[in-house]
Amino acid sequence: RNFYYITMLRDPVSRYLSEWKHVQRGATWKTSLHMCDGRSPTPDELPTCYEGDDWSGVSLQEFMDCSYNLANNRQVRMLADLSLVGCYNLTFMNESERNTILLQSAKNNLKNMAFFGLTEFQRKTQYLFERTFNLKFISPFTQFNVTRASNVDIGEDVRQRIEELNFLDVQLYEYAKDLFLQRFQYSKQEEHQKNRLKRREERRVPR
């Protein structure tokens, strides 16, 4: 079979707040094996941020204070090839080199996917999806601007802290948004050009 890999990216601050609210309600990823190079990470490589069954009721400050919280830069980590940096072994190379390699790997994998969309641009995402796979959805995508994340009232200092914790995701999202909008504009221009040629041909037929 031929598999088409696609993904959706989200604004890093909104995504982080959404995950915090999800964890606060009792969500865990205990069943995730985090496999890399044929094995799962050891407890020393991937410690947990909490004791007990889950992290229910965690405050945003506690969530941010856990230095090995997998919510940090999750989008880059999930798109990058972790084997390039020794998987979850943080002693494999220095932090700066590791971050550079992870970000570049995530960008390359995103660019080479069959398709990616952005949560903040639902209609444009639908348009590009339909153009990419030559299909039509029966109803338009809906843009929900009111979410659990948007209902969280945070100050500028907290927002800045979240951006610092997710600085790789912030860079990836800026790259993704630029590439996404370029592809959208190109597809629109291509569509207009085809429509002009089609109308021109239609006018020629009676003659």
Side-chain angles (χ1 to χ4, degrees):
R1 294 181 179 181
N2 290 323
F3 291 93
Y4 293 96
Y5 289 91
I6 68 172
T7 193
M8 291 285 293
L9 269 70
R10 187 176 182 183
D11 169 75
V13 174
S14 296
R15 198 217 64 78
Y16 188 85
L17 290 171
S18 180
E19 181 167 347
W20 162 58
K21 297 297 287 185
H22 196 47
V23 169
Q24 192 181 55
R25 295 192 302 273
T28 68
W29 282 264
K30 290 181 177 179
T31 57
S32 299
L33 299 178
H34 302 292
M35 293 291 290
C36 181
D37 281 351
R39 70 175 183 87
S40 294
T42 66
D44 289 334
E45 291 174 332
L46 193 59
T48 57
C49 288
Y50 58 89
E51 297 179 357
D53 294 332
D54 56 44
W55 211 3
S56 296
V58 59
S59 69
L60 180 55
Q61 188 62 54
E62 290 173 320
F63 195 73
M64 293 189 296
D65 285 344
C66 181
S67 59
Y68 33 85
N69 188 345
L70 289 183
N72 300 341
N73 295 307
R74 183 179 288 281
Q75 295 181 106
V76 164
R77 192 179 60 258
M78 294 186 75
L79 281 169
D81 180 0
L82 296 184
S83 63
L84 297 174
V85 295
C87 298
Y88 292 90
N89 180 5
L90 300 183
T91 64
F92 187 77
M93 62 178 61
N94 68 64
E95 185 179 4
S96 177
E97 184 182 5
R98 177 185 175 88
N99 289 337
T100 299
I101 292 173
L102 282 176
L103 180 58
Q104 191 57 52
S105 176
K107 286 180 177 180
N108 290 340
N109 287 334
L110 182 72
K111 180 178 64 177
N112 293 323
M113 280 188 170
F115 170 83
F116 74 87
L118 301 179
T119 303
E120 287 72 25
F121 297 93
Q122 290 290 331
R123 293 296 176 87
K124 288 181 173 67
T125 292
Q126 178 178 359
Y127 174 81
L128 282 178
F129 191 98
E130 291 175 340
R131 294 274 295 174
T132 300
F133 298 109
N134 193 28
L135 55 78
K136 279 284 186 181
F137 288 96
I138 59 174
S139 58
F141 286 14
T142 304
Q143 185 73 54
F144 290 107
N145 293 318
V146 178
T147 63
R148 288 189 174 92
S150 67
N151 288 327
V152 178
D153 187 19
I154 59 172
E156 188 56 38
D157 55 334
V158 174
R159 172 174 291 276
Q160 186 174 341
R161 176 61 177 153
I162 293 174
E163 289 177 348
E164 290 171 356
L165 290 170
N166 294 275
F167 73 103
L168 294 178
D169 273 10
V170 169
Q171 293 177 75
L172 175 67
Y173 188 79
E174 287 304 312
Y175 169 82
K177 185 162 67 171
D178 182 60
L179 180 58
F180 176 84
L181 293 176
Q182 283 185 48
R183 290 179 175 180
F184 177 78
Q185 290 299 330
Y186 178 82
S187 293
K188 277 291 186 181
Q189 290 170 4
E190 190 179 48
E191 182 184 35
H192 291 328
Q193 186 176 7
K194 286 182 179 179
N195 288 338
R196 282 198 301 269
L197 290 173
K198 184 179 178 181
R199 289 193 297 270
R200 190 178 301 169
E201 290 298 320
E202 288 173 347
R203 287 196 297 269
R204 285 176 180 175
V205 171
R207 297 178 186 177

